[in-house]
Amino acid sequence: MVEGAVKTEKEKLVRVRNMVKHFPVEDSDDVVRAVDRISFDIFAGETLGLVGESGCGKSTVGRCLLRLHEPTSGDVYFEKDNIVDLGNRELQKLRREMQIIFQDPYASLNPRLNILSIVSEPLKIHGIGDKTSRKEKVSELLSKVGLDPKYMTRYPHEFSGGQRQRIGIARALALNPKLIIADEPVSALDVSVQAQVVNLLQDLQKEFGLTYLFISHGLSVVEHISNRVAVMYLGKIVEIADSETLYKNPLHPYTEALLSAIPIPDPKRKRERIILKGDVPTPINPPSGCRFRTRCPIAIDECSRIEPELKEINEGHFSACIRNENYESSPVVE
């Protein structure tokens, strides 16, 4: 685990409160409950890992933080501003402080533009500098991410996947943001390249004082880069803790099952797997009470009636399971 900063009220860069994002279902009155009343904080200078199975709502959370998706309800505070209430002009100014690294390094770069145009585009949009100064900035950024500045006249198809992701990182850094949403930035890369990109992100964080929301289903990568980790299941956050505590002492049964799937790089050692029964329920009609109860190995009758809230069980360790010690049950759900 990387070193964590002291977490005080003043250091909260992002505060999410009861955020909801529902997507309408075509030709139906139903909605996909992609994100359903979640709350969490991101502290300045830290990396918050966000993990969970595919389709649990991780990427939707990141896009709602940037208002690439409009939240259905709830509040998202960036420093003092509630970005949900901002108009287009105010939001554009705030976008200098918040950037994103996309998952697919092939789809996220315009094949018709060369690297100079791609990386300098944020500077043009925000009216920063002239043509000469922007070129100098691009040259500096490419050097920072480990690419030769003379490559700026080339096009995306002339680069490997790892190099393309470095270009995406350079573009995200162009406006000197405070927050970067890294949406599975290494999942499409080879394992050896993943390590290089993760180490690059850590080096840039130290140099520029960046704050990351690192979205991934790669649990080993998240453990390596994150100060704290939040675990999502079917649109809900079920556990949050610092990385070391969560990986050594998970409190939620879903987290335990996820961690049991991490391979151990030693053929003589074996980890006891927790095999979850059944399939992930549909987010259109999630189970009553606890959403994980239909697959949970320790579910009891009350789990179908009580919707567990995310509560602090130990200092800094939050879990949403009524079977956790010291957990006070939520009101019964009718």
Side-chain angles (χ1 to χ4, degrees):
M1 185 189 71
V2 292
E3 294 182 3
V6 177
K7 301 173 181 62
T8 65
E9 190 69 28
K10 293 182 180 179
E11 291 177 325
K12 290 179 180 177
L13 183 68
V14 177
R15 290 174 293 136
V16 177
R17 297 293 178 266
N18 297 313
M19 186 172 73
V20 173
K21 179 58 183 177
H22 293 168
F23 294 98
V25 177
E26 188 175 359
D27 298 326
S28 172
D29 293 331
D30 293 328
V31 293
V32 175
R33 302 173 183 273
V35 178
D36 219 357
R37 292 190 300 111
I38 66 169
S39 299
F40 63 94
D41 299 318
I42 305 177
F43 296 93
E46 79 163 348
T47 298
L48 176 65
L50 186 59
V51 302
E53 294 171 284
S54 296
C56 70
K58 305 185 300 296
S59 295
T60 302
V61 170
R63 290 168 183 262
C64 283
L65 293 191
L66 301 176
R67 268 185 63 185
L68 297 179
H69 290 325
E70 292 287 345
T72 303
S73 64
D75 299 302
V76 180
Y77 293 93
F78 182 86
E79 296 183 323
K80 296 180 181 180
D81 297 310
N82 187 350
I83 69 168
V84 175
D85 296 333
L86 298 181
N88 291 337
R89 183 172 297 180
E90 296 167 311
L91 184 61
Q92 183 173 353
K93 291 180 180 179
L94 191 62
R95 288 201 190 281
R96 295 190 186 191
E97 311 289 348
M98 306 182 297
Q99 292 293 306
I100 186 170
I101 301 168
F102 294 98
Q103 176 179 355
D104 189 345
Y106 293 90
S108 61
L109 303 180
N110 189 332
R112 295 173 179 266
L113 299 180
N114 63 23
I115 305 311
L116 172 60
S117 298
I118 289 171
V119 178
S120 65
E121 190 170 21
L123 301 172
K124 291 181 182 178
I125 291 172
H126 289 273
I128 299 174
D130 55 21
K131 186 174 181 180
T132 301
S133 63
R134 287 197 290 263
K135 185 175 182 180
E136 292 173 355
K137 180 69 173 179
V138 171
S139 176
E140 177 186 343
L141 289 169
L142 292 178
S143 296
K144 291 289 184 186
V145 300
L147 294 175
D148 193 323
K150 66 184 179 184
Y151 291 168
M152 70 174 68
T153 57
R154 297 184 181 181
Y155 288 81
H157 71 272
E158 300 178 77
F159 295 89
S160 67
Q163 289 174 322
R164 288 185 182 208
Q165 199 60 294
R166 289 173 185 266
I167 294 166
I169 293 170
R171 177 176 59 187
L173 290 173
L175 296 173
N176 298 317
K178 294 179 181 178
L179 173 69
I180 290 182
I181 309 296
D183 186 8
E184 303 206 34
V186 298
S187 63
L189 307 178
D190 293 338
V191 174
S192 59
V193 180
Q194 286 184 14
Q196 296 172 16
V197 173
V198 167
N199 290 336
L200 171 63
L201 289 172
Q202 290 182 307
D203 291 341
L204 294 171
Q205 184 176 40
K206 292 177 183 178
E207 182 174 354
F208 296 104
L210 298 169
T211 302
Y212 293 139
L213 175 64
F214 190 90
I215 300 167
S216 179
H217 57 257
L219 295 169
S220 298
V221 174
V222 169
E223 181 182 17
H224 177 71
I225 197 173
S226 302
N227 300 98
R228 293 187 304 132
V229 178
V231 181
M232 281 195 75
Y233 181 81
L234 205 61
K236 292 278 193 179
I237 291 180
V238 298
E239 187 165 2
I240 301 177
D242 69 81
S243 179
E244 183 175 0
T245 299
L246 185 131
Y247 278 77
K248 288 184 177 179
N249 183 36
L251 294 179
H252 198 281
Y254 177 62
T255 308
E256 291 186 58
L258 283 182
L259 297 182
S260 76
I262 301 176
I264 299 175
D266 185 347
K268 296 180 181 180
R269 295 176 58 199
K270 291 186 178 180
R271 191 192 304 272
E272 183 179 351
R273 283 293 310 274
I274 300 174
I275 307 298
L276 298 178
K277 58 186 179 181
D279 298 320
V280 180
T282 172
I284 297 176
N285 185 26
S288 62
C290 175
R291 297 188 176 187
F292 183 58
R293 67 175 175 82
T294 57
R295 304 173 71 200
C296 181
I298 61 171
I300 55 179
D301 290 342
E302 283 82 354
C303 294
S304 65
R305 298 186 294 106
I306 298 172
E307 183 175 357
E309 298 176 11
L310 190 67
K311 294 187 176 181
E312 190 170 22
I313 308 302
N314 301 314
E315 185 178 359
H317 196 161
F318 297 80
S319 179
C321 178
I322 64 173
R323 300 202 65 178
N324 287 145
E325 187 178 353
N326 300 326
Y327 186 95
E328 296 179 4
S329 295
S330 306
V332 173
V333 178
E334 297 295 341

